[in-house]
């Protein structure tokens, strides 16, 4: 497995994998069950991520990062998620919150915020509301323009890193009469008057990740914190989600790989009827099917990352494919891993039941897989109509 995983990786990517493995084995494995039970945000491990320079993986070098390469990020997320996807989400949830700045902010905004994030400041992306999830046009949070600022009012729901992040990229309606064309994005810092936090969600999986309401009540945001201009919010959101899906795919891939590795290890250690489980052909068939799915997912996720790093403009289809397929694989493989461990798989003494719970969200957030299939299908029809195949 390791030779295939490392095939074609650069020296930096191999170094990132080794760093993540060291953090995972030394700091994550000992606490992952406890942090999951207690919904404990991993501030101590976030500090280790920052010390290792991992917050710079998604930031260009000119802003004190490591380069901002998509595949570098994919490799990092995959490796960390083999150990715990909720803990790792503090890092790549920050990447999601940073993408509107990376993709659409002006130079002054980038110079102000990106070096802070590269040094380890947590960020968050705030789009989702009670009536606006996959339907980004359903945003009801408003931004009223005044002489020197925009005044935000509304509530955001299910925000990853909510309450823990210092920097938020927030979608609000500057002109509700225009629907999606009236949305805009703003950079809002924690501590801004009128910006507070509500309910912290009690989740099925990724429980070490903070998921919380954001509340804006006459929150005054400086005009210089508007990203890309009024009415561009829908485009900011779509560009962000296209760019972020490979990270969700990598999260799913890491979870699936972790579950497979656990099942293989267990099959060699557990004896039944006088022989190890791996001596049973039926068991080997299950492991083989799991491994084939994982390798197929890795090939697609890495291909997606390389395509995006090539400078390609239209990445919606392949990013949707990677996210959708890898998350479906994660759900399938983790379910099989629970089955493979039998009664132990159902117990919290072993990590596979947690991996199964964590895998489920990858099929749902950043666009449910039904939405991804719709994106893929429409892209196929569009390509056919243009005579591209």
């Amino acid at each position: 497995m390791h030779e295939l995983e490392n095939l074609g990786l650069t020296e930096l990517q191999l170094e990132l994998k080794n760093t993540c493995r060291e953090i995972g084995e030394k700091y994550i494995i000992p606490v992952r069950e406890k942090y999951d039970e207690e919904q404990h945000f991993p501030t101590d491990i976030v500090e280790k991520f920052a010390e290792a320079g991992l917050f710079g993986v998604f930031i260009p070098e000119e802003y004190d990062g490591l380069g901002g390469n998509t595949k570098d990020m994919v490799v990092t997320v995959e490796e960390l998620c083999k150990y715990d996807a909720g803990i790792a989400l503090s890092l790549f949830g920050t990447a999601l919150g940073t993408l509107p700045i990376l993709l659409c902010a002006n130079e002054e905004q980038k110079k102000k915020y990106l070096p802070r994030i590269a040094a380890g400041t947590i960020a968050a992306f705030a789009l989702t509301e009670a009536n606006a999830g996959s339907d980004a046009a359903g945003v009801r949070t408003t931004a009223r323009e005044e002489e020197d600022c925009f005044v935000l009012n509304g509530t955001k729901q299910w925000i990853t890193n909510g309450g823990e992040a210092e920097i938020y990229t927030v979608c609000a309606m500057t002109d509700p009469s225009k629907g999606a064309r009236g949305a805009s994005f703003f950079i809002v810092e924690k501590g801004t008057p009128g910006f507070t936090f509500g309910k912290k969600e009690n989740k099925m999986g990724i429980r070490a990740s903070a998921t919380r309401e954001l509340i804006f009540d006459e929150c005054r945001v400086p005009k210089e914190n508007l990203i890309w201009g009024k009415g561009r919010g829908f485009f900011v959101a779509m560009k962000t989600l296209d760019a972020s899906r490979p990270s969700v795919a990598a999260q799913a891939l890491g979870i699936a790989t972790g579950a497979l590795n656990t099942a293989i290890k267990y099959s060699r250690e557990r004896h039944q009827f006088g022989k190890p489980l791996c001596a049973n052909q039926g068991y080997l068939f299950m492991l083989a099917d799991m491994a084939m799915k994982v390798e197929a997912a890795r090939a697609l996720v890495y291909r997606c990352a390389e395509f995006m790093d090539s400078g390609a403009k239209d990445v919606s289809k392949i990013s949707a494919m990677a996210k959708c397929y890898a998350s479906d694989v994660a759900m399938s493989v983790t379910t099989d891993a629970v089955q493979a461990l039998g009664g132990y798989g159902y117990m919290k003494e072993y990590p596979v039941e947690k991996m199964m719970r964590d895998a489920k969200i990858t099929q749902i957030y950043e666009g449910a897989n039904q939405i991804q299939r719709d994106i893929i299908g429409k892209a196929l029809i569009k390509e056919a109509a243009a005579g591209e195949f």
Side-chain angles (χ1 to χ4, degrees):
M1 290 291 290
H2 295 301
E3 288 184 9
L4 280 174
E5 286 182 30
N6 295 343
L7 186 65
L9 298 188
T10 65
E11 185 176 336
L12 173 61
Q13 289 159 1
L14 291 171
E15 185 179 333
L16 288 168
K17 276 176 68 77
N18 288 333
T19 297
C20 292
R21 185 179 301 116
E22 289 173 8
I23 292 173
E25 292 176 353
K26 186 174 182 179
Y27 299 107
I28 296 179
I29 287 178
V31 301
R32 63 185 176 187
E33 183 180 348
K34 176 181 171 65
Y35 284 13
D36 178 68
E37 287 283 344
E38 298 177 358
Q39 296 197 89
H40 180 83
F41 186 80
T43 304
D44 53 339
I45 299 174
V46 168
E47 291 174 357
K48 300 299 180 185
F49 292 160
E51 289 171 7
L54 297 184
F55 279 87
V57 170
F58 47 90
I59 305 289
E61 292 180 4
E62 58 264 39
Y63 306 106
D64 301 338
L66 296 179
N69 184 291
T70 304
K71 191 170 179 182
D72 293 349
M73 185 64 184
V74 160
V75 168
T76 300
V77 171
E78 176 192 359
E79 191 65 34
L80 289 175
C81 287
K82 293 176 186 177
Y83 302 97
D84 190 284
I87 291 173
L89 190 50
S90 60
L91 176 67
F92 67 92
T94 292
L96 173 62
T98 306
L99 279 171
I101 301 174
L102 280 169
L103 297 172
C104 304
N106 60 42
E107 191 61 23
E108 184 179 346
Q109 291 167 333
K110 289 179 179 179
K111 287 180 178 178
K112 180 176 180 180
Y113 290 104
L114 294 183
R116 286 176 57 188
I117 294 169
T121 299
I122 297 173
F125 178 73
L127 173 64
T128 304
E129 300 180 5
N131 294 307
S134 295
D135 178 15
V139 168
R140 294 292 177 267
T141 296
T142 59
R144 183 180 73 249
E145 186 173 6
E146 295 193 352
E147 185 175 345
D148 61 344
C149 67
F150 287 90
V151 183
L152 273 59
N153 284 283
T155 302
K156 295 293 179 181
Q157 187 177 43
W158 302 335
I159 305 305
T160 298
N161 287 343
E164 304 294 337
E166 297 291 330
I167 298 167
Y168 296 78
T169 46
V170 181
C171 185
M173 303 299 292
T174 45
D175 189 347
S177 68
K178 293 183 178 179
R181 301 284 179 169
S184 304
F185 259 86
F186 301 87
I187 303 169
V188 184
E189 297 197 45
K190 186 177 182 179
T192 301
F195 176 26
T196 57
F197 306 102
K199 177 185 177 185
K200 183 177 180 180
E201 302 294 345
N202 185 6
K203 306 186 298 292
M204 171 182 170
I206 56 167
R207 289 169 57 83
S209 171
T211 306
R212 200 165 179 182
E213 280 185 332
L214 313 184
I215 300 170
F216 301 95
D217 182 9
E218 292 293 295
C219 176
R220 304 177 73 85
V221 178
K223 283 194 171 180
E224 57 265 29
N225 284 24
L226 173 66
I227 298 176
W228 203 9
K230 289 196 301 181
R232 306 304 297 269
F234 181 77
F235 301 105
V236 174
M238 294 304 101
K239 285 169 68 72
T240 296
L241 293 173
D242 280 348
S244 70
R245 287 187 191 113
S247 291
V248 180
Q251 178 191 27
L253 175 59
I255 294 169
T257 304
L260 173 61
N261 291 345
T262 302
I264 293 170
K265 183 173 184 288
Y266 180 85
S267 76
R268 299 177 67 237
E269 296 172 347
R270 175 72 166 166
H271 283 68
Q272 292 281 274
F273 305 107
K275 59 184 180 181
L277 284 176
C278 60
N280 294 284
Q281 188 181 62
Y283 199 99
L284 290 178
F285 284 0
M286 180 180 287
L287 294 179
D289 286 340
M290 294 161 69
M292 286 188 286
K293 291 174 183 177
V294 167
E295 286 306 322
R298 180 172 292 111
L300 179 56
V301 173
Y302 282 17
R303 180 178 174 84
C304 173
E306 289 162 0
F307 184 70
M308 294 178 71
D309 286 335
S310 74
K313 301 298 182 184
D314 189 359
V315 299
S316 295
K317 182 182 75 172
I318 194 165
S319 69
M321 284 179 167
K323 189 270 187 189
C324 186
Y325 184 74
S327 59
D328 283 351
V329 163
M331 197 69 245
S332 172
V333 168
T334 55
T335 302
D336 284 347
V338 171
Q339 185 72 23
L341 269 66
Y344 287 106
Y346 203 70
M347 303 301 159
K348 295 197 174 186
E349 177 183 352
Y350 285 80
V352 290
E353 64 83 28
K354 178 190 180 303
M355 291 171 174
M356 185 176 75
R357 290 186 284 110
D358 288 349
K360 187 60 198 175
I361 192 59
T362 66
Q363 294 180 304
I364 297 171
Y365 63 8
E366 293 194 45
N369 280 4
Q370 288 74 18
I371 295 290
Q372 306 309 319
R373 287 178 166 86
D374 188 62
I375 291 170
I376 296 162
K378 286 177 177 175
L380 292 172
I381 298 304
K382 182 180 178 181
E383 290 167 1
E388 294 183 18
F389 62 87

